Structures are given as C-alpha cells and as structure tokens.
Amino acid sequence: MKELYVDLNEKSYPIYIGSGLLQQKELLVRFIKSRQILIVTNTTVAPLYLDLVVRSLGEFQVEVTLLPDGEEYKNLDHVNQIFDKLLVNKFSRNATLIALGGGVVGDMTGFAAACYQRGVAFIQIPTTVLAQVDSSVGGKTGVNHPLGKNMIGAFYQPQCVIADMDVLDTLDDRQLVAGIAEVIKYGLIRDADFFEWLEKNITLLLKRDKNALAYVIERSCENKAEIVAEDEFESGIRAILNLGHTFGHAIETGMGYGKYLHGEAVAIGICFAADLSNRLGWLSNEDVARIIALLKLAKLPVIPPKELQTSQYIELMSVDKKNVDGEIRLILLESIGKATLPINVEQSLIEQTLKNYAG
Ligand SMILES: NC(=O)c1ccc[n+]([C@@H]2O[C@H](COP(=O)([O-])OP(=O)(O)OC[C@H]3O[C@@H](n4cnc5c(N)ncnc54)[C@H](O)[C@@H]3O)[C@@H](O)[C@H]2O)c1
Ligand SMILES: [Zn+2]
C-alpha cells in the first residue's frame, strides 16, 4: 500500500492507494469519530461493494443512501435525499458520511457533508479511475445546475481517501479510458516526464496492467496533492487543473449531462486548448500532434460533437467559474508540461478554433 498526504495544516489527510484496502477494517475505522455513519453510494456500486464496506463497520449505526446512477442526477434534489436520511435518523454533528462510488457520488456526498449542520466529517472511497486519480482528492464538492456544470458547491476536505485498486476490475473500458483523460492532463499541465511515460506505456494501461495502474494513480495523486497544498481555494495555480474543462463542461452541459462522460468531454477540451495555444504561437505543431496522438491511442474522442453550433459553445463557455466579469478565461499550454494561468482569449480566436474543429 502506498500512502500519500495532502498537506493542508490542520486539514491534512492521507490518501491510501493499493490492493485489498476495503478488507482492511482498521484503515477505515480509525477515521470515524462517532457511532453514526451514512454511506452514500449508487445502484450500480452498491451491489458490488456495499457489503464489503458495511462488514468493516459492525459496531456502528450504519445507514445507506442509494442514489440513482448518472451525471444527470448530480443535482440539489438528490443531495436532498442525503439530508432526508440524515434528519430522519437524527444524525448529529459528529456523524461521518462515506462516499462509495465515482466522482458523482463523491462530489454529492462531500457537498452534503459540507452543508449538513454546517459541516460533518466525510471519507472518500473512490471506485472509478477518474475518482481515484482526481475527484476524490482536493475537496472540491458540488452539484450541477441545468445552466452550468458544478456551479453549486463548496470547498470541503475529506478525512481520508481510500483508493482500493481492486474495485477497478468491474469498471468497463469506456469508464477506464475516461479516467485516463485526467491522467494525461497532469502530464500536460506540469509533468512532462509523466506525459512521456504515458506515451510509452499507454497500451499497458489500457490492458489494466496492475503495476502501470498503480503507478498512474500514485503519480496523479502526487500531482494533485501538491497543487492543492499550494492553493486550496484556487486563487492561483490550482486553476491549471481545469485544462480542457471550460470547453469540456460546455459539451457536457450542451449535450445533456451523461451523454459524454466527463473524461471524454475533457479530452476534447484538451484538443481545443491545444489548438488555441498553437494559434497564439505558444504550443508547437509537433506538441499539438503528440497530444492528439496520445489521446487517440488512449481511445479518447478528440472531435467536438457537431450537434452544437459555435454560438452555443460560446454561450455555454460564458458560464464558468474561472470567468471574471462575464469574460471567458481559459487555461492554455505553453508547452507539454507547462500550463498558463487563466487568460482572457479574444472571442474571434475561440471562434476560429471552433470552426477549425467543426471542419
Ligand atoms: N471534485 C473534483 O475535483 C472533480 C474532479 C474531476 C471530476 N469531477 C466530477 O466527477 C464526475 C465524474 O466522475 P466519474 O467519471 O467517476 O463518473 P461516475 O461517478 O458517474 O462513475 C462512472 C460510472 O461507473 C460506475 N461505477 C463506479 N464505480 C464502479 C466500479 N468499481 N465498478 C463498476 N462500475 C462502477 C458508476 O456507477 C457510473 O455508472 C463528474 O461529475 C465530474 O464533474 C470532480
Ligand atoms: Zn475533471
């Protein structure tokens, strides 16, 4: 088992990565401060792993909220189901919530934990690649609004993250690949050596080689933990984690939540950012080609959906947390391994990139 730390003074917490972690009762139990525990999961993950987690919690009062599965349910109505369960069962302020699932369950549980009685403890047990390499770490929690992805939320850190790689065995290939988009993102924004490693080892990763997967989860979490430790509330450097996300979120919202997986939309968003960076004279043609080649090798999509018009993309991108005074701001690339902070980009340039993509 590998143990990493997110260093945030009194809010610091460990990330455990390894095999068989859900069988290790004491790993989980030592972070629980009272008898009352609510496990939040969904209808897909519960039949697979809920019993395993409940078995570790024999002596506690364990309740379960079972959410429907899908990005389209990541909203306030369904967070309310978590509050209902907490209130009906008279959960106190020292209760603990456990998020057992992918990024959707993790984001919603964390947000519910941040709000319930102004904050109760929560633990992340991420069960997708995307959640293990990205969403379970760093304390961004929240839900979608019909007009904008993740626009309602809070910064709220978990007590710990338990990433048991064994649970990835039941994940389908499309979901595995979607998680790899965020992995490639780390290489692009600050870790050129990792990007090169991915170019060489992507096939192993797609074959689910255990050592390759473990390495990728660890290195991704290291990157994320370092950025979060430096800038918990995204007043600066943390924004680079949003590479590809402004455009990616526009695709997710515009096409309807759930149509494109988050990681798929981010992959297309990365191509968009690479093209724009190249137009600005930063990223070389060769680097753009390497980026697109790696995404394609990973079997990620690189072309935006044709269903949305340029004007719709612009409109959708104008609802984003990085924007200031309503102006679109984007994370771009200076080179592979070096991202920019958010910058205003002329609308005409964005339009050129969009038209270029639309063919
Ligand atoms: N908070 C953050 O910092 C952050 C970062 C990145 C992404 N996100 C959010 O994360 C979400 C995407 O997360 P995701 O890709 O994990 O999607 P997800 O939570 O929808 O999970 C993907 C699918 O896999 C299923 N699943 C989960 N674990 C499984 C397992 N072990 N075996 C079989 N099936 C399993 C789920 O039920 C779901 O159908 C988005 O809402 C995105 O906005 C948040
Ligand atoms: Zn993301």
Side-chain angles (χ1 to χ4, degrees):
M1 180 180 77
K2 176 97 177 180
E3 193 171 335
L4 303 173
Y5 273 88
V6 184
D7 188 359
L8 290 169
N9 302 320
E10 70 286 354
K11 284 185 286 179
S12 298
Y13 54 94
I15 306 168
Y16 302 109
I17 302 164
S19 275
L21 303 191
L22 292 188
Q23 274 89 350
Q24 292 185 33
K25 181 175 183 255
E26 64 293 348
L27 208 56
L28 178 61
V29 168
R30 77 170 100 140
F31 291 95
I32 295 172
K33 296 179 179 91
S34 81
R35 279 194 63 253
Q36 296 179 314
I37 296 171
L38 175 65
I39 303 175
V40 182
T41 185
N42 74 20
T43 48
T44 303
V45 178
L48 297 169
Y49 304 110
L50 181 59
D51 277 354
L52 201 55
V53 176
V54 171
R55 239 178 278 152
S56 298
L57 301 169
E59 67 263 39
F60 298 92
Q61 176 195 348
V62 180
E63 303 290 340
V64 176
T65 294
L66 204 56
L67 297 169
D69 182 5
E71 183 75 37
E72 62 273 38
Y73 304 109
K74 184 178 154 183
N75 54 34
L76 285 176
D77 282 351
H78 288 87
V79 168
N80 218 22
Q81 290 188 5
I82 304 176
F83 296 143
D84 289 347
K85 187 67 106 182
L86 291 165
L87 285 161
V88 165
N89 290 288
K90 304 194 168 53
F91 269 47
S92 323
R93 267 198 98 174
N94 59 355
T96 300
L97 270 55
I98 298 177
L100 175 67
V104 169
V105 164
D107 282 10
M108 291 169 77
T109 309
F111 185 55
C115 297
Y116 186 66
Q117 297 197 27
R118 300 199 182 86
V120 294
F122 90 109
I123 290 169
Q124 288 274 19
I125 304 185
T127 63
T128 62
V129 171
L130 188 137
Q132 295 193 352
V133 300
D134 191 349
S135 65
S136 64
V137 175
K140 276 196 184 178
T141 73
V143 294
N144 302 326
H145 184 280
L147 295 179
K149 169 110 180 133
N150 291 342
M151 290 305 277
I152 318 293
F155 285 100
Y156 196 67
Q157 302 295 340
Q159 303 299 306
C160 70
V161 178
I162 301 175
D164 186 337
M165 291 171 45
D166 294 349
V167 303
L168 302 178
D169 290 346
T170 51
L171 200 64
D172 67 34
D173 285 341
R174 188 179 169 201
Q175 297 291 351
L176 174 93
V177 162
I180 292 173
E182 303 277 19
V183 171
I184 293 173
K185 176 188 79 179
Y186 292 117
L188 288 172
I189 58 175
R190 73 196 294 272
D191 194 347
D193 290 346
F194 189 30
F195 188 88
E196 240 175 75
W197 185 94
L198 288 166
E199 287 181 312
K200 293 195 188 104
N201 294 285
I202 191 73
T203 326
L204 272 183
L205 204 53
L206 294 177
K207 283 192 195 136
R208 299 169 184 251
D209 177 271
K210 286 270 180 205
N211 291 330
L213 256 179
Y215 177 71
V216 156
I217 296 168
E218 285 165 25
R219 187 131 178 184
S220 299
C221 285
E222 274 163 12
N223 270 295
K224 178 116 189 217
E226 280 172 20
I227 295 176
V228 170
E230 208 175 320
D231 178 22
E232 183 184 3
F233 299 112
E234 200 166 311
S235 42
I237 192 72
R238 185 169 180 166
I240 66 173
L241 288 166
N242 293 307
L243 175 73
H245 280 62
T246 308
F247 193 61
H249 285 168
I251 294 172
E252 288 187 80
T253 308
M255 294 300 291
Y257 296 128
K259 190 97 186 277
Y260 274 73
L261 300 181
H262 176 71
E264 294 170 342
V266 166
I268 300 169
I270 287 174
C271 295
F272 169 85
D275 183 284
L276 251 173
S277 308
N278 179 254
R279 268 166 215 282
L280 284 162
W282 298 337
L283 199 61
S284 66
N285 291 342
E286 189 204 343
D287 277 358
V288 176
R290 275 177 74 192
I291 294 169
I292 294 177
L294 179 57
L295 292 167
K296 280 187 172 165
L297 269 180
K299 302 195 169 59
L300 281 158
V302 294
I303 309 282
K306 302 263 188 292
E307 287 87 337
L308 299 171
Q309 309 296 317
T310 298
S311 59
Q312 288 173 289
Y313 278 122
I314 301 264
E315 170 69 23
L316 286 158
M317 281 194 282
S318 65
V319 183
D320 185 89
K321 294 189 291 305
K322 284 181 300 307
N323 296 347
V324 175
D325 295 335
E327 284 210 28
I328 297 176
R329 302 204 313 154
L330 299 169
I331 306 299
L332 297 175
L333 291 171
E334 288 178 25
S335 60
I336 288 178
K338 186 151 181 25
T340 66
L341 288 173
I343 49 170
N344 291 6
V345 182
E346 273 178 43
Q347 193 164 318
S348 62
L349 223 52
I350 296 179
E351 283 167 5
Q352 274 177 36
T353 284
L354 287 170
K355 293 220 171 78
N356 172 52
Y357 265 133

